[in-house]
Amino acid sequence: MIRHRPLGSGHPYAHDTEQRSPVQPVAGEPLRLGVRTSAEVTTVDLEYQIDDGPVTTVALAPVARSSRGQSTDGGHLASAQARQARQAGGWQTEITAPAAGRTLRYRFVGHTGSGTDGGTDGTQRTRHYTCRSATWRDTAGDVLDLAGAAVGILPGIQVLDDGERVHQVRFALPLAPGEHVTGFGERYDALDHRGTSLDSVVFEQYKSQGAHRRTYLPMPFAHVVGGAGWGFHVQTSRRVWFDIGEASPDRLTITAEVDAPSGTTPLLGVATYAGEPAAVLDAFLTEVGRPTELPDWVFRLWASGNEWNTQAEVERQLALHREHRIPVGNVVIEAWSDEQTFTAFRDAEYAVREDGAPMRLADFTFPANGAWPDPKGMIDALHAHDVRVHLWQIPLIKMRPHPAAQAKADARAAIEEGVLVREEAPDGTLRPYRNRGWWFPLGLMPDLTDERAAQWWTAKRRYLVEEVGIDGFKTDGGEHAWGSDLVYLDGRHGDEGNNTFATGYAAAYGRLLESCGKAPVTFSRAGFTGSQAHGAFWAGDENSTWEAFRWSMLAGLSAAACGIVYWGWDIAGFSGPIPEPELYVRAMAASVFVPIMQYHSEFNHHRRPSVDRTPWNIAERTGDSRVISEVRALVELRERLVPYLAASARQTVATSRPLMRPLYFDHPGDRNVWEHPVQWLLGDDLLVAPVLEPGTQSWPVYLPEGAWVDVWSGQAHDGEATVDADVTRRDRVPVFVRETAWEGLRRVFEG
């Protein structure tokens, strides 16, 4: 076997051994070409020619096969990652890409020395592949469709053109001294990105997002704060790269993917907005879609654990909340389904619908000794305790192990109904896309950006809402679309469609809930421009470390700056060793003052001791019994804060002023706010500064202009000053209230 995939898997941050890299050759620059082979191949040659010139033969060197996964880092996903990390059978060589507009024609020849499996001469040959070299050339400004006059485009616009098609556009915006650049969707590493580079591609980075500078929820939108005030939006769903004053301090260089015949104008839309951050965000949301107000109960505590995978365990955990007098408003049940259809409760008995048609509750029998003997009764009982229930989802048809029963019928029906994302084969034919990532590999993916396909998919889940009574869905895993060779049902290819999949995913489930008379409460980790209008979000998978705590807070602030209203994170991390009591309580204290307060824990194969992030498990595991009473008091505080949060959220939806608001929104001219990036205003009147380091007795808090009151001591402070807040109590995050609002909020903090 010898295989070359010119486009590779589509992994945005790694190049597969068997691909062409870069996919689009640039004249005069290195071009790496490779193959993957089976063990009998002992040597590989590259045969290539430029236009109709002579054939040149180059020997490939053996290399370790690259992985499409992330670094293996424990947890229940480690085995999936390890499968993708196997090393085997790679060969590569590097040539210089030909001159612009010239065509490179090439193939690979593998030598087995045996005359088997490839022909009588002991060789295996790939088909011929062709590509054209492109070059950067200067062009006129008419390639950009400019909206707004907040800032001018700098001279020097260029396109990457192969003589037939344009593949990228590059231009620059001016950066003045003292300006800060922030936004770009949910970002974990910093609030101000000036002096760095990043891109906008939806990607599942399993843990350590801040270190890798990758995100589930990018947006090609940013604020420029500190001067006159402006912002911009690159109006595309394709990948965009941003050099934010890294190569040249006085300019923000933007490189965007496009795909159009040479000479096409315009190629790319760019909007600029003038004004302070709130005005910039409002203009952006007017363009891309505004948030939808969700019910007040989303502000109550969310509780979950991946090992709450039976009715008995869910009921036990919720009873423990009542026993410990810790109010809970929402439970997320992740491991509820058969892990094949993601529509049927595990152990449920039913007759297979060979046509893949939706089922109703009456079609299922729930054995008394099964994992979920009475799911509707369980949910009715939880509702009686004022707890809403959310079920976990994944937007794939699982194909490993080979599906059987209803899952097999669903896969066949999805193909027959034509509701799947497809991929373009080398011969131009279309076949169902098979997930290329390391999680649920080879799964089929419904095109949830298409209304007909989304209705087909969500109809299978309708009985869960209408009859079982669930209140929302955890719409996990919206990052499975890899590769420009994908084809969506409306004809878009992956380079244009992949970033939009996560938005369509949450929107589809939101429409299902609304059609059943319920609020569109989805809980997603992936998104893109337009996701602002679709449900709630959490910051994704992370370890229980202080560093991850800080990364998560930055993620929430950057997401809020881009219009995400309902945001939270897995309090103190969901993966790896349990958090130490100080980290757990400090994170819980901070979570009182973020829009979504939720804890979660990763699956650990039911090994002992438990890694649940429940307060009682942390207390038992660490021997620190104070944890339970501290968390009880914090959640009770959160309950008292819900009316303020709900009123503030309504104001946010109406005005575009973020609910969890970076200080620069209200004080764009105050240079000191950038020295304290992990602080925020919650609504108009509360200022929050989480404690992000262990063993701390005092914490510096910057108070901007105005008069402020420490909610714990009642002490008044003048603004435009840094105060050292007493944080000897680990269950008290520094919080200050505007003096004018203190009387109205005093009861919230005094209990």
Side-chain angles (χ1 to χ4, degrees):
M1 180 273 290
I2 180 169
R3 185 177 75 173
H4 174 61
R5 299 178 64 189
L7 306 183
S9 66
H11 189 303
Y13 300 109
H15 291 277
D16 300 318
T17 302
E18 59 264 37
Q19 78 169 86
R20 183 171 68 229
S21 180
V23 169
Q24 173 54 56
V26 179
E29 295 188 5
L31 177 64
R32 191 168 69 242
L33 300 164
V35 295
R36 179 187 172 197
T37 68
S38 49
E40 75 275 4
V41 175
T42 55
T43 60
V44 179
D45 291 331
L46 166 71
E47 297 178 349
Y48 72 93
Q49 62 184 138
I50 299 171
D51 293 336
D52 295 324
V55 174
T56 301
T57 300
V58 177
L60 274 66
V63 296
R65 184 185 171 207
S66 62
S67 166
R68 284 179 280 156
Q70 330 269 326
S71 59
T72 300
D73 191 18
H76 78 291
L77 301 177
S79 60
Q81 295 174 312
R83 283 196 299 271
Q84 292 292 343
R86 287 194 295 266
Q87 310 282 305
W91 303 81
Q92 286 183 345
T93 191
E94 190 175 281
I95 64 173
T96 299
R102 308 289 292 274
T103 298
L104 175 68
R105 184 173 186 264
Y106 65 95
R107 72 174 180 179
F108 300 90
V109 180
H111 305 279
T112 66
S114 64
T116 62
D117 196 29
T120 57
D121 60 352
T123 60
Q124 300 179 27
R125 295 176 175 85
T126 68
R127 69 177 184 87
H128 281 96
Y129 301 89
T130 60
C131 56
R132 288 173 63 86
S133 274
T135 190
W136 288 101
R137 64 172 177 81
D138 294 335
T139 188
D142 58 359
V143 301
L144 299 178
D145 182 9
L146 301 176
V151 67
I153 304 295
L154 293 175
I157 301 171
Q158 294 183 309
V159 293
L160 183 63
D161 191 347
D162 69 8
E164 293 182 352
R165 299 196 72 80
V166 179
H167 302 277
Q168 294 181 14
V169 176
R170 185 163 63 200
F171 62 98
L173 303 173
L175 287 179
E179 288 183 328
H180 305 267
V181 187
T182 183
F184 299 104
E186 185 179 53
R187 299 289 169 171
Y188 302 76
D189 59 305
L191 198 64
D192 180 7
H193 297 285
R194 186 159 185 172
T196 66
S197 295
L198 48 80
D199 70 347
S200 59
V201 60
V202 174
F203 185 72
E204 180 190 0
Q205 175 61 50
Y206 177 57
K207 303 194 289 193
S208 299
Q209 297 89 4
H212 292 282
R213 309 193 75 241
R214 301 167 182 173
T215 181
Y216 306 95
L217 208 170
M219 295 183 200
F221 161 78
H223 298 270
V224 182
V225 185
W230 57 283
F232 66 89
H233 173 215
V234 183
Q235 298 167 322
T236 181
S237 58
R238 291 185 170 95
R239 192 175 186 178
V240 185
W241 293 265
F242 301 92
D243 180 320
I244 311 157
E246 183 175 36
S248 180
D250 61 349
R251 61 182 52 211
L252 193 160
T253 301
I254 297 172
T255 305
E257 285 186 345
V258 296
D259 181 24
S262 299
T264 300
T265 58
L267 290 170
L268 182 70
V270 182
T272 62
Y273 320 104
E276 295 186 348
V280 167
L281 181 57
D282 186 66
F284 175 56
L285 294 177
T286 297
E287 179 187 333
V288 304
R290 295 186 173 278
T292 299
E293 185 180 343
L294 297 182
D296 295 2
W297 50 257
V298 302
F299 293 116
R300 302 185 66 217
L301 177 66
W302 295 55
S304 66
N306 235 330
E307 297 193 342
W308 303 3
N309 61 351
T310 65
Q311 180 172 333
E313 184 61 13
V314 169
E315 291 173 339
R316 187 179 78 87
Q317 293 291 352
L318 272 293
L320 283 167
H321 280 86
R322 294 191 296 272
E323 177 184 328
H324 292 292
R325 305 191 311 283
I326 296 176
V328 60
N330 300 269
V331 61
V332 178
I333 308 177
E334 290 216 357
W336 66 278
S337 79
D338 55 14
E339 293 293 322
Q340 285 290 318
T341 66
F342 303 103
T343 62
F345 281 85
R346 190 170 69 258
D347 295 340
E349 297 173 352
Y350 55 91
V352 173
R353 292 281 182 91
E354 294 294 345
D355 61 356
M359 295 188 185
R360 303 299 291 176
L361 182 58
D363 295 322
F364 296 94
T365 299
F366 302 98
N369 61 349
W372 306 93
D374 184 10
K376 177 171 171 50
M378 174 190 69
I379 291 173
D380 287 346
L382 291 171
H383 285 166
H385 288 289
D386 201 21
V387 177
R388 270 70 178 187
V389 182
H390 311 262
L391 297 184
W392 184 80
Q393 288 286 283
I394 196 77
L396 294 169
I397 299 175
K398 188 176 176 182
M399 301 297 285
R400 278 189 176 178
H402 293 301
Q406 190 61 53
K408 181 178 180 180
D410 288 349
R412 182 176 60 248
I415 295 171
E416 292 173 352
E417 292 288 335
V419 296
L420 299 174
V421 175
R422 297 156 295 167
E423 58 183 314
E424 189 171 11
D427 63 1
T429 60
L430 297 178
R431 60 195 180 197
Y433 169 64
R434 305 294 294 269
N435 176 33
R436 299 168 184 170
W438 49 269
W439 191 29
F440 295 99
L442 301 182
L444 302 175
M445 193 167 80
D447 184 354
L448 298 181
T449 70
D450 177 83
E451 187 171 356
R452 181 184 69 87
Q455 287 178 349
W456 182 91
W457 181 261
T458 58
K460 295 171 161 303
R461 290 135 177 94
R462 178 172 293 276
Y463 86 95
L464 295 168
V465 185
E466 284 187 339
E467 298 183 273
V468 181
I470 70 106
D471 302 284
F473 291 99
K474 185 171 184 177
T475 37
D476 198 358
E479 315 88 0
H480 296 297
W482 283 16
S484 61
D485 54 335
L486 272 59
V487 181
Y488 289 80
L489 293 178
D490 63 1
R492 290 176 303 156
H493 280 71
D495 57 343
E496 187 176 8
N498 291 348
N499 273 342
T500 70
F501 180 84
T503 305
Y505 174 22
Y509 279 78
R511 289 195 301 270
L512 168 63
L513 289 159
E514 287 183 310
S515 72
C516 297
K518 297 205 171 186
V521 179
T522 53
F523 197 34
S524 308
R525 69 179 184 190
F528 191 68
T529 308
S531 287
Q532 295 90 337
H534 302 296
F537 296 83
W538 91 101
D541 298 338
E542 196 46 273
N543 283 320
S544 294
T545 66
W546 289 93
E547 185 176 40
F549 181 12
R550 179 182 176 84
W551 286 336
S552 297
M553 298 302 93
L554 288 166
L557 290 168
S558 59
C562 297
I564 298 296
V565 177
Y566 302 94
W567 176 93
W569 94 107
D570 295 335
I571 295 169
F574 96 127
S575 184
I578 63 169
E580 60 197 42
E582 184 183 4
L583 170 58
Y584 183 78
V585 175
R586 292 285 193 202
M588 190 70 72
S591 74
V592 172
F593 301 96
V594 302
I596 300 292
M597 182 184 191
Q598 70 101 25
Y599 72 79
H600 179 52
S601 55
E602 193 174 25
F603 188 66
N604 195 42
H605 303 280
H606 295 285
R607 291 186 291 246
R608 295 297 171 188
S610 170
V611 297
D612 267 8
R613 267 55 174 178
T614 56
W616 40 92
N617 190 56
I618 301 297
E620 179 182 345
R621 287 284 312 275
T622 64
D624 190 335
S625 61
R626 294 180 300 159
V627 167
I628 295 175
S629 60
E630 289 170 327
V631 170
R632 179 189 305 121
L634 288 167
V635 179
E636 288 173 344
L637 170 59
R638 174 68 172 210
E639 290 279 299
R640 298 192 297 272
L641 196 60
V642 166
Y644 174 82
L645 288 166
S648 296
R650 283 191 287 276
Q651 186 178 34
T652 290
V653 171
T655 66
S656 302
R657 292 166 59 79
L659 175 57
M660 182 181 179
R661 190 151 72 243
L663 296 188
Y664 64 77
F665 260 81
D666 288 34
H667 306 279
D670 188 340
R671 291 177 294 179
N672 292 309
V673 302
W674 301 99
E675 301 300 318
H676 302 265
V678 191
Q679 294 186 187
W680 62 87
L681 291 167
L682 186 66
D684 285 340
D685 296 321
L686 296 177
L687 187 150
V688 184
V691 178
L692 301 171
E693 296 176 6
T696 302
Q697 301 298 304
S698 66
W699 191 256
V701 180
Y702 178 69
L703 301 176
E705 181 183 12
W708 301 89
V709 176
D710 184 328
V711 302
W712 308 119
S713 68
Q715 183 177 355
H717 296 272
D718 291 329
E720 296 186 280
T722 300
V723 301
D724 288 324
D726 178 4
V727 293
T728 52
R729 285 185 56 168
R730 64 188 186 185
D731 63 337
R732 284 192 172 176
V733 63
V735 179
F736 294 80
V737 63
R738 291 190 192 278
E739 187 177 60
T740 53
W742 176 226
E743 286 307 315
L745 287 169
R746 184 194 295 267
R747 293 176 188 170
V748 170
F749 294 94
E750 293 181 347

